[in-house]
Amino acid sequence: MEECLPEMVPISANVKNWTVSELIANGRWEWRKLQGLVPDETLQKISGINSFCLHKQDDPVWDKVRNGFYTVKKGYMETKMKKFVVDGRAGGTFSLPNSIWGKVWKLKILPKITHFAWRCLVGAVPVKEALVRRRCCNTSVICPICNQEVETIEHTLFLCSRFQGVWFASALSWKIDCNRFQSFGLWFEKILIDDNVLNEFQLAYVAWIIWLVWKERNSVVFEAKQHDPIKVVQLAEKAVREFWKANDWMVDDDEPVTKEIGWKGWRPPDFGVLKINCDGSCSLEAAAIGLVCRDHAGGFMWGFGEVVKSNSAFLTEVLAVLKALVLSRI
Ligand SMILES: [Zn+2]
């Protein structure tokens, strides 16, 4: 009853559980109950219903088809037509254009990873915030990895301080801007729909990283394993190359992950040269530096990270560059 009369009149608690049959007695409408429950024009329409119908039992009816019977085919069509509104971060919602789904299904990745990407988009990944919001469990919403912030899908995959290193160590060398990152859906929509951002191979690589970060999160939380961002990146690159080779999609065995005309991010060095990217991060509590070395194909050579003594972002960055210079001579 509550779903049928969502906005007509305020509904008292006992009325919320009524079914249509409770408004009918001896084959006649209970007008006393109906009056005040629905507007007059609806009452008029109800009075026009044939009394023959009032002797029948209540049956579930799907109002999208004339005969009232639900079919999977029609349900699928209905879902496809509908503009998707999904759960967003911390209980908000945002809508995704229908065109995004076709792009997701066409990603050249394992079906289980496509399915995971879809779950991320519709808010169906069991991060702490989602579990508590849906009252699935009565636990803390704080990220079990860093113990600092609410664990949303965005936090787990991109914003968690423990996983940001994965993106930096990746062939894309992404530095995640925590202040500007809005939602997974908007981010994924941008990289899927904007052809100038990533090519097909890079999209597969990114989707694989997302999947492996989630697996890594589960290993740390449920199996108390040590987090290793370098291992995640290496696994992602190996897996996507093997999958593409097995499907004969790889034109060049040594195809760099960063090879693309419109690519404006990290570029590989010339053949025979290694490139070291470095970064430093400083907060009130601690400072740390990270370095990644890659070859001409964007292949991972080595990575390095350590906590340093520093009280400013500038000094931390300088220490990172200094370390890169020292290690490049080894
Ligand atoms: Zn975290």
Side-chain angles (χ1 to χ4, degrees), residues 78-98:
E78 196 64 31
T79 309
K80 220 176 157 198
M81 296 297 293
K82 192 174 157 191
K83 186 159 186 176
F84 238 89
V85 178
V86 296
D87 285 341
R89 190 149 43 133
T93 60
F94 57 89
S95 48
L96 292 171
N98 288 325

Side-chain angles (χ1 to χ4, degrees), residues 143 146 155 160:
C143 169
C146 67
H155 178 83
C160 182

Side-chain angles (χ1 to χ4, degrees), residues 77-220:
M77 297 298 290
E78 196 64 31
T79 309
K80 220 176 157 198
M81 296 297 293
K82 192 174 157 191
K83 186 159 186 176
F84 238 89
V85 178
V86 296
D87 285 341
R89 190 149 43 133
T93 60
F94 57 89
S95 48
L96 292 171
N98 288 325
S99 55
I100 195 173
W101 303 109
K103 299 260 185 187
V104 172
W105 306 134
K106 280 182 187 164
L107 285 172
K108 290 181 171 175
I109 49 180
L110 281 173
K112 67 178 179 185
I113 301 178
T114 308
H115 182 242
F116 181 71
W118 173 80
R119 283 172 61 202
C120 292
L121 286 168
V122 298
V125 177
V127 289
K128 297 275 183 181
E129 183 272 329
L131 289 173
V132 171
R133 175 159 45 86
R134 291 180 179 158
R135 300 189 179 94
C136 294
C137 67
N138 204 8
T139 181
S140 162
V141 293
I142 298 300
C143 169
I145 307 290
C146 67
N147 289 310
Q148 287 179 341
E149 292 180 45
V150 174
E151 190 193 37
T152 58
I153 190 66
E154 290 80 8
H155 178 83
T156 299
L157 299 180
F158 303 97
L159 308 178
C160 182
S161 56
R162 298 279 299 279
F163 288 129
Q164 283 181 31
V166 172
W167 294 104
F168 182 66
S170 77
L172 306 171
S173 283
W174 276 346
K175 275 184 77 175
I176 305 295
D177 186 343
C178 299
N179 296 322
R180 293 176 64 187
F181 197 100
Q182 289 181 298
S183 73
F184 177 81
L186 292 173
W187 175 82
F188 209 45
E189 181 190 346
K190 175 155 179 58
I191 67 162
L192 281 179
I193 290 175
D194 188 343
D195 292 336
N196 289 323
V197 179
L198 300 177
N199 63 21
E200 277 190 311
F201 183 68
Q202 290 160 350
L203 282 173
Y205 176 64
V206 166
W208 230 290
I209 291 180
I210 287 168
W211 158 249
L212 287 171
V213 165
W214 176 246
K215 280 186 69 177
E216 180 86 342
R217 175 264 189 204
N218 290 338
S219 296
V220 175

